[in-house]
């Protein structure tokens, strides 16, 4: 049996836990920027499924592409491989488009094309939640 004196303590612990959980859920999803050695910016906001649903994107290859002989493969996609596997931190002989540029071209490029979605630095690399 819990002593009566401990009940308020237990109740406030539960309330605190619930509040903490609801704040955690409101924190916006971001990309993992671990591959950049000393990131200069906060990781970009990107709530994968919610973003793609809102933007009406259902073709995975728009982002997870496979390019062969300079052409987008019609059959293969690369969602099982991180972008950095093909796009190194600096341009290389195998791939002229370094990772940061690949992201900016893809993400900002579409936002510019569609005139929708953030194009200012802080719209993606926002500070705080
Ligand atoms: C449409 C979204 C978007 C916008 C707008 C954007 N970025 Fe990024 N940026 C990304 C993504 C995605 C990455 C790679 C993942 C990450 O770093 O979170 C990235 C990576 C970077 C990186 C390499 C990682 C690091 O933190 O050092 C730098 C530097 C950077 N961006 C600077 C900028 C600057 C400066 C601007 C404004 C001129 C800008 N970005 C605008 C999405 C964006
Ligand atoms: C608007 C761009 C975009 C579209 C469209 C997109 N993804 Fe992604 N996805 C990403 C980015 C960016 C990452 C992180 C890649 C990295 O870390 O290198 C990612 C990561 C993933 C991962 C890795 C899992 C994880 O959490 O690390 C899977 C699986 C995945 N996507 C599946 C899909 C599937 C399936 C579709 C199509 C239904 C899809 N994606 C459409 C951008 C996109
Ligand atoms: C399986 C390897 C591979 C993966 C994984 C990959 N790419 Fe690429 N990507 C390429 C190749 C190859 C090119 C052509 C590079 C060149 O022209 O030198 C390219 C070109 C690009 C380009 C410029 C051409 C275009 O389509 O607009 C962008 C932008 C790009 N990639 C973004 C991304 C992003 C973002 C991711 C992760 C979500 C990603 N790529 C994952 C191989 C890959
Ligand atoms: C093919 C087009 C396309 C691509 C690629 C794309 N976006 Fe978007 N994005 C949109 C559109 C459209 C919206 C506006 C959706 C709305 O609010 O109706 C949007 C909105 C956003 C927002 C605002 C919050 C939200 O989820 O609505 C962020 C942040 C964002 N995009 C980040 C990114 C990042 C980071 C990438 C690259 C990994 C990316 N986007 C790639 C089309 C795209």
């Amino acid at each position: 049996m819990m002593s009566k004196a401990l009940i308020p303590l237990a109740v406030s612990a539960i309330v605190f836990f619930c509040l903490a959980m609801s704040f955690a859920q409101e924190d916006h999803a971001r990309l993992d920027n671990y591959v950049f050695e000393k990131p200069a910016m906060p990781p970009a906001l990107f709530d994968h499924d919610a973003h793609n649903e809102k933007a009406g994107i259902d073709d995975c290859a728009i982002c997870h592409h496979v390019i062969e002989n300079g052409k987008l493969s019609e059959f293969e996609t690369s969602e099982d491989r991180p972008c950095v596997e093909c796009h190194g931190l600096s341009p290389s002989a195998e791939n002229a488009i370094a990772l940061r540029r690949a992201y900016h071209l893809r993400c900002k490029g579409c936002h510019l094309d569609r005139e929708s979605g953030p194009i200012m630095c802080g719209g993606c690399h926002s500070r705080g939640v």
Side-chain angles (χ1 to χ4, degrees):
M1 270 287 284
M2 194 186 280
S3 103
K4 278 204 176 110
L6 286 179
I7 290 173
L9 203 67
V11 169
S12 57
I14 290 166
V15 168
F16 179 78
F17 179 72
C18 294
L19 275 175
M21 290 304 289
S22 66
F23 278 119
Q25 275 171 1
E26 275 179 35
D27 193 10
H28 296 293
R30 287 167 191 271
L31 281 170
D32 193 341
N33 64 352
Y34 72 99
V35 293
F36 296 98
E37 272 159 33
K38 281 190 184 150
M41 307 294 279
L45 292 170
F46 187 63
D47 193 345
H48 193 279
D49 295 357
H51 171 278
N52 295 342
E53 202 174 306
K54 237 203 283 181
I57 310 170
D58 43 36
D59 181 2
C60 310
I62 287 179
C63 294
H64 301 291
H65 58 192
V66 168
I67 293 183
E68 283 162 344
N69 307 320
K71 278 198 173 153
L72 181 67
S73 168
E74 285 176 51
F75 313 105
E76 275 185 89
T77 55
S78 60
E79 61 267 9
D80 54 343
R81 300 164 76 179
C83 312
V84 72
E85 205 177 300
C86 302
H87 297 279
L89 291 181
S90 6
S92 67
E94 301 87 67
N95 199 314
I97 299 175
L99 187 62
R100 172 182 163 187
R101 199 168 150 234
Y103 270 116
H104 286 161
L105 282 171
R106 179 62 70 248
C107 307
K108 229 192 302 184
C110 178
H111 296 169
L112 285 166
D113 280 353
R114 300 210 185 169
E115 297 179 353
S116 187
I119 51 171
M120 305 293 280
C121 313
C124 290
H125 299 286
S126 83
R127 305 196 180 273
V129 291

